[in-house]
Amino acid sequence: MYLRGVERRMQVNELLWFVFLIMDLSVLLLMFRFFGKFGLYVVITYSIILCNIQVLKIVELFGLTATLGNVLYGSIFLATDILGEVYGKEHARKGVYIGFISLIIMTAYMQMALLFKPAEADFIDPHIRAIFSLMPRIMVASLTAYLVSQLHDVWAFHFWKKKTHDRYLWLRNNLSTLMSQFIDSLIFCAIAFMGLYDFRTWFDILITTYFLKMMVAVLDTPFIYLAKRVARVVENT
């Protein structure tokens, strides 16, 4: 009975994961359709903030113990690839910097909020503290991994774009994102967890983290083609 319950829970989690993936990437396209590049900047902003909250939740996915946040984080790479494809490298870099600054501001503002003494009637403060209490090592790991991997993604996307002479969009989207996701996972796990676990455990965390990000990178490929179609509509409005 217990094993069946665990298996059922995992199946529900995997279904929810796919539903959330389709929903998130569809919202990204809608934001692009109605607001153009500014909609993508908004997507980057809310995705970087929310994924750093979701990452605190541990779940079972595809037989692995993993954290949430991988879908939202993966959509940032898609957003910067669309910015680079449609508007150029500088607009993609601007999206990266907007996300980086947004994460710093959110972290700083929530640390300020924690300094306020709660009223006697307050019952939320312990929960807010549990979520937003500053963990310097995690914060440094997240910010460093984000900035390095995203800037690499922008560079790699345009490197392969030149090599393929603007053809094979699926190839440059996947080559740039898959390598950048690995760089992100490696930097984050190295800064956040190296020395806290034995090497075998640390390596398992690295691989499972990258596996889910890799799935998002591959599954978002149809959406960048849809974005190319949406771009024609945006340009004509």
Side-chain angles (χ1 to χ4, degrees):
M1 290 291 292
Y2 174 75
L3 291 177
R4 283 202 294 269
V6 172
E7 183 179 351
R8 192 179 303 115
R9 184 166 64 249
M10 289 174 61
Q11 290 173 347
V12 169
N13 280 350
E14 288 148 7
L15 176 61
L16 284 172
W17 191 85
F18 279 113
V19 169
F20 184 65
L21 174 69
I22 299 301
M23 181 178 71
D24 181 53
L25 297 181
S26 298
V27 169
L28 183 152
L29 288 180
L30 287 172
M31 293 292 288
F32 180 42
R33 166 63 182 85
F34 290 108
F35 303 106
K37 63 185 175 185
F38 301 106
L40 294 178
Y41 293 150
V42 173
V43 169
I44 292 170
T45 300
Y46 72 65
S47 293
I48 191 63
I49 291 173
L50 291 176
C51 77
N52 275 275
I53 297 173
Q54 285 193 358
V55 76
L56 298 173
K57 184 163 183 173
I58 298 175
V59 296
E60 296 289 332
L61 281 170
F62 308 104
L64 304 170
T65 301
T67 61
L68 289 180
N70 295 299
V71 170
L72 282 168
Y73 196 71
S75 65
I76 299 174
F77 286 88
L78 177 61
T80 54
D81 283 353
I82 294 171
L83 284 168
E85 178 69 15
V86 178
Y87 299 104
K89 185 186 294 186
E90 291 308 311
H91 290 280
R93 281 207 188 102
K94 183 183 290 186
V96 172
Y97 295 135
I98 287 173
F100 183 74
I101 293 170
S102 298
L103 184 55
I104 290 177
I105 292 173
M106 184 274 286
T107 302
Y109 280 11
M110 289 312 300
Q111 295 313 301
M112 286 293 296
L114 296 180
L115 295 176
F116 285 83
K117 185 178 180 180
E120 290 185 8
D122 177 83
F123 60 91
I124 295 297
D125 185 67
H127 306 289
I128 292 178
R129 289 184 182 279
I131 295 174
F132 293 104
S133 290
L134 183 60
M135 299 174 62
R137 189 166 177 174
I138 299 296
M139 185 193 71
V140 171
S142 180
L143 289 170
T144 305
Y146 169 81
L147 190 61
V148 174
S149 64
Q150 289 287 345
L151 290 177
H152 175 272
D153 183 62
V154 172
W155 171 83
F157 184 87
H158 287 85
F159 172 83
W160 290 111
K161 187 174 184 179
K162 290 179 181 178
K163 290 290 184 182
T164 57
H165 305 288
D166 284 350
R167 296 178 297 171
Y168 309 118
L169 176 58
W170 65 270
L171 183 63
R172 60 180 176 271
N173 174 58
N174 281 284
L175 286 177
S176 61
T177 301
L178 288 171
M179 178 54 69
S180 299
Q181 292 278 34
F182 180 74
I183 291 171
D184 176 84
S185 299
L186 182 61
I187 292 175
F188 179 82
C189 290
I191 297 175
F193 303 128
M194 185 72 79
L196 296 179
Y197 303 101
D198 61 83
F199 182 78
R200 176 64 182 273
T201 302
W202 178 85
F203 187 74
D204 286 345
I205 293 172
L206 171 63
I207 295 303
T208 56
T209 300
Y210 179 62
F211 173 74
L212 291 174
K213 290 178 180 178
M214 181 178 67
M215 286 186 63
V216 176
V218 172
L219 293 172
D220 76 10
T221 303
F223 287 86
I224 198 167
Y225 280 94
L226 289 172
K228 286 278 285 186
R229 293 191 175 189
V230 169
R232 299 191 191 102
V233 177
V234 172
E235 290 173 356
N236 294 326
T237 56

